[in-house]
Amino acid sequence: MAKVHPLSISKTDDASTASTSSCSNNKYVTSKRETFTIWMKSLVMQGKGCTAFDENGEIVYRIDNYDAKHSNEVYLMDLCGKLLFTVCEKKMCFFPSWKGYKNNGANKPLFQVRKSCRSILGKKGFAYKVTMRSDGSCYRLEGLSGKSSEFRITDSNGGVVAETKRKQSSSGVVLGDDVFTLVVEPHVDHSFIMALVTVYGLIRHQI
């Protein structure tokens, strides 16, 4: 089967990545709450990855990994294969970290994710600190109630910007652990949130 490769797009100025709301096209930032269905599977046969659907059931984001299940570098694309983010895993002193680059990774990383002190000390649940390179602002990626399939993303003030929960069918049946609902708050770049979902998939060795 032919492989579908991401399409690189032109290099952008560092100034264009000054914040999560200005680092992407307007279509990734809306004035209303957005809900996505995340399926931690690739639509490509024998591939590993992730597929995101909007409220209309249309595919809006995808990751297709043709190599090992757990890769050190993955690509977040839109439906047409346009490359949005490159996420790379790094290991230093046994503690992994992840860096997210806009487009093909030629620029400096937009963000970095590291395990928080709480998780390193072995306290219940998982928590990761997300640091933006442009201004040093931070987000937090943390598990909900010890359920590894559910997590939220909060800003530096503790406000929730995105949250996931297990997906339920219209009849109330809870679907598998690899299918969940992602709710993104208004005025938040959901392509950036999907980049963090990508990191989450790497943390759980699902991509």
Side-chain angles (χ1 to χ4, degrees), residues 22-76:
S22 63
C23 69
S24 63
N25 295 330
N26 288 336
K27 66 179 181 179
Y28 300 122
V29 181
T30 62
S31 60
K32 67 182 184 70
R33 179 179 292 175
E34 298 284 352
T35 301
F36 303 90
T37 296
I38 309 297
W39 187 34
M40 302 304 289
K41 297 285 186 182
S42 169
L43 296 180
V44 177
M45 187 179 297
Q46 297 180 341
K48 306 295 182 182
C50 172
T51 308
F53 304 84
D54 64 15
E55 294 176 332
N56 299 317
E58 300 291 333
I59 298 173
V60 286
Y61 299 107
R62 62 188 179 91
I63 297 168
D64 299 312
N65 182 6
Y66 306 96
D67 301 315
K69 183 171 184 178
H70 183 69
S71 177
N72 292 328
E73 184 172 297
V74 297
Y75 307 98
L76 175 64

Side-chain angles (χ1 to χ4, degrees), residues 4-7 59-62 77-83:
V4 180
H5 296 284
L7 300 175
I59 298 173
V60 286
Y61 299 107
R62 62 188 179 91
M77 301 171 282
D78 66 10
L79 174 60
C80 298
K82 178 181 178 181
L83 182 58

